[in-house]
Amino acid sequence: MINNMIGGSFRTTNASAVHWNYSDFWDIWNNTMLTDIATSSSQSAVMYVNGFSNQNNLNIRNNVFYYAATSGSGLPFYLSGPTSFTAFNFNNFYKPGTVPVNLIFLNGTTYTSANFVGGGALKSNSVSSDNSYVGVRAFHMTT
């Protein structure tokens, strides 16, 4: 899945821009994914990866996972179950709120804006930065 813009104008409180089930050997590069509605569960993440059985060789890099709602329980990224990454780096995980904000759930561990860099999987070059999009359907930046 390469070079896509996904999201905007969701109408349900359990929305996910991308919901991935039991997938191996995927390259997920250069995508912008946004959820703009306050969701009722952390599993209603911008990208939800369902891995109750092993998922192997996921290569996730250079993406923007943007939870735009100012309330709700959703996260920019949620992964359940054991998974192996060939890469999980150079991504932007963003959710507004008072720091530290919960950003990533990886197989039982929640990472915040204060501890996600270098924590868990391979994300030592990732950031949490507001991209200031023009709107939820216009993924170009205002600055």
Side-chain angles (χ1 to χ4, degrees):
M1 185 174 99
I2 299 173
N3 203 27
N4 296 283
M5 291 182 276
I6 304 165
S9 298
F10 288 96
R11 293 188 168 94
T12 178
T13 60
N14 54 359
S16 290
V18 175
H19 189 104
W20 219 263
N21 279 313
Y22 310 108
S23 300
D24 292 327
F25 298 98
W26 275 92
D27 294 329
I28 304 166
W29 303 341
N30 306 317
N31 299 287
T32 299
M33 302 170 230
L34 180 143
T35 302
D36 61 338
I37 190 168
T39 58
S40 57
S41 165
S42 61
Q43 293 180 0
S44 297
V46 175
M47 182 164 185
Y48 176 83
V49 180
N50 184 0
F52 288 112
S53 63
N54 290 342
Q55 297 195 78
N56 297 299
N57 300 302
L58 296 181
N59 185 342
I60 302 174
R61 64 176 111 182
N62 299 321
N63 298 286
V64 175
F65 302 99
Y66 195 93
Y67 183 89
T70 56
S71 63
S73 302
L75 298 173
F77 191 89
Y78 188 100
L79 181 137
S80 65
T83 298
S84 69
F85 294 98
T86 55
F88 186 47
N89 212 348
F90 301 99
N91 297 296
N92 183 7
F93 304 94
Y94 180 74
K95 180 178 180 178
T98 303
V99 174
V101 174
N102 291 342
L103 296 176
I104 303 167
F105 179 89
L106 291 177
N107 193 23
T109 303
T110 301
Y111 294 95
T112 70
S113 54
N115 70 1
F116 80 99
V117 174
L122 313 166
K123 52 191 173 317
S124 60
N125 294 299
S126 294
V127 297
S128 179
S129 177
D130 184 357
N131 287 347
S132 300
Y133 292 120
V134 170
V136 296
R137 293 187 188 175
F139 294 136
H140 55 279
M141 293 185 235
T142 57
T143 58

